[in-house]
Amino acid sequence: DIVDILKPLWATKQETASRLRGRIEKVLHAAKARGWRTGENPARWRGHLDHLLPRRQKLQRGHHPAMPYGEVPAFIGRLRARDAVAARALEFLILTAARTGEVIGATWSEIDHGSGVWTIPANRMKAGREHRVPLSTRAIEILSEATKLRESEEPTVYLFPSSRRGQPLSNMAFKQLLVRMGESGFVPHGFRSSFRDWCGECTPFPREVAEAALAHIVGNSVEQAYRRGDALEKRREIMQAWAEFTQPK
């Protein structure tokens, strides 16, 4: 049954299929722990599904549909015309070149207002490494707007809370917003590509700084051992330049 579910996705939507398999595995693990089922987990990869489905590295990796960077300023102008938490959060995502999960799970305890830095803990990062994000002037303005939500009748620990008390925005909030704005051809993650393309084509910033801004690990293990800093101040320059570029004209 699990193979039948995964096969239609495995060849065309690799990332979705892989995440789906992992979630099924977790559900069945939890069911076994509660005594609701017995036996091996049929959704496990190693020694089981890896013999029935192609390995990820052999599959063609798709690209997240990205908005051309030249169109981002006008899009942000339309975002600002919308009075919604999701709109502020999506603009914050674009300005910080962060991933959806990193933004919707962001809490006020991760923000250092004095230094203008957002520190995402390792357990919330894809690579499992703490990542510091220097905040542009506009990103700080968005946080100032979000502060009003903390002063409401139902204070929240999240930067961008949902309408459900004590909960962050849904991970579908950005996709739904894009659909409502008639931009269903793009995905939130694609704005990271928009940022990277802009860095490479329109700025003199070194590749290493642009990659560090995306929390990508650059170089082999030896290079990483000698590159212990995270180029925070250089990245502050690039994030401010990106914010200024994306200002609606």
Side-chain angles (χ1 to χ4, degrees):
D1 288 340
I2 290 170
V3 170
D4 287 344
I5 289 171
L6 295 175
K7 268 189 173 179
L9 292 172
W10 204 260
T12 58
K13 298 182 179 180
Q14 301 91 349
E15 183 64 25
T16 300
S18 181
R19 291 181 182 182
L20 176 60
R21 184 210 62 77
R23 288 168 182 168
I24 293 172
E25 183 180 28
K26 288 180 179 179
V27 169
L28 295 180
H29 271 318
K32 185 175 181 180
R34 289 167 172 76
W36 297 340
R37 66 176 304 276
T38 59
E40 296 292 336
N41 192 321
R44 74 183 187 282
W45 177 253
R46 190 179 299 276
H48 184 53
L49 290 180
D50 60 347
H51 296 298
L52 303 175
L53 296 167
R55 292 183 182 277
R56 285 290 305 279
Q57 60 265 31
K58 294 182 180 179
L59 296 172
Q60 180 182 4
R61 290 185 178 274
H63 295 283
H64 296 280
M67 182 177 292
Y69 61 81
E71 297 178 15
V72 175
F75 175 74
I76 283 184
R78 293 167 56 205
L79 270 182
R80 292 185 187 176
R82 304 180 76 92
D83 184 19
V85 174
R88 299 292 80 73
L90 182 54
E91 184 181 353
F92 189 80
L93 175 143
I94 295 170
L95 294 173
T96 56
R99 299 178 178 88
T100 296
E102 295 159 7
V103 171
I104 64 175
T107 64
W108 287 103
S109 64
E110 297 172 0
I111 304 296
D112 185 334
H113 292 279
S115 62
V117 173
W118 169 31
T119 301
I120 311 173
N123 63 0
R124 292 210 310 107
M125 290 298 299
K126 182 178 180 179
R129 296 172 55 173
E130 180 183 279
H131 180 54
R132 295 193 298 169
V133 182
L135 300 173
S136 64
T137 303
R138 174 56 188 162
I140 293 172
E141 288 177 0
I142 292 174
L143 293 184
S144 296
E145 295 177 31
T147 300
K148 298 174 184 177
L149 298 174
R150 299 183 73 194
E151 300 169 350
S152 64
E153 296 179 2
E154 297 181 359
T156 174
V157 300
Y158 295 104
L159 301 188
F160 306 106
S162 74
S163 56
R164 296 173 297 167
R165 185 173 183 177
Q167 297 295 314
L169 283 174
S170 162
N171 61 5
M172 290 298 293
F174 295 153
K175 289 184 179 180
Q176 292 169 349
L177 177 58
L178 287 169
V179 169
R180 289 196 294 272
M181 295 179 70
E183 301 289 359
S184 58
F186 303 117
V187 298
H189 196 86
F191 287 107
R192 286 167 56 83
S193 295
S194 305
F195 166 76
R196 186 62 184 88
D197 290 344
W198 169 81
C199 289
E201 297 181 20
C202 301
T203 80
F205 292 105
R207 168 181 173 273
E208 291 78 9
V209 176
E211 291 296 315
L214 293 168
H216 287 166
I217 299 174
V218 180
N220 58 34
S221 58
V222 175
E223 291 177 295
Q224 292 166 28
Y226 283 96
R227 191 185 292 119
R228 297 185 183 278
D230 63 358
L232 181 68
E233 292 311 312
K234 291 182 180 178
R235 289 191 291 113
R236 191 182 297 278
E237 293 178 26
I238 200 171
M239 301 318 292
Q240 182 61 36
W242 172 238
E244 292 171 4
F245 171 80
T246 57
Q247 280 287 313
K249 305 299 187 287

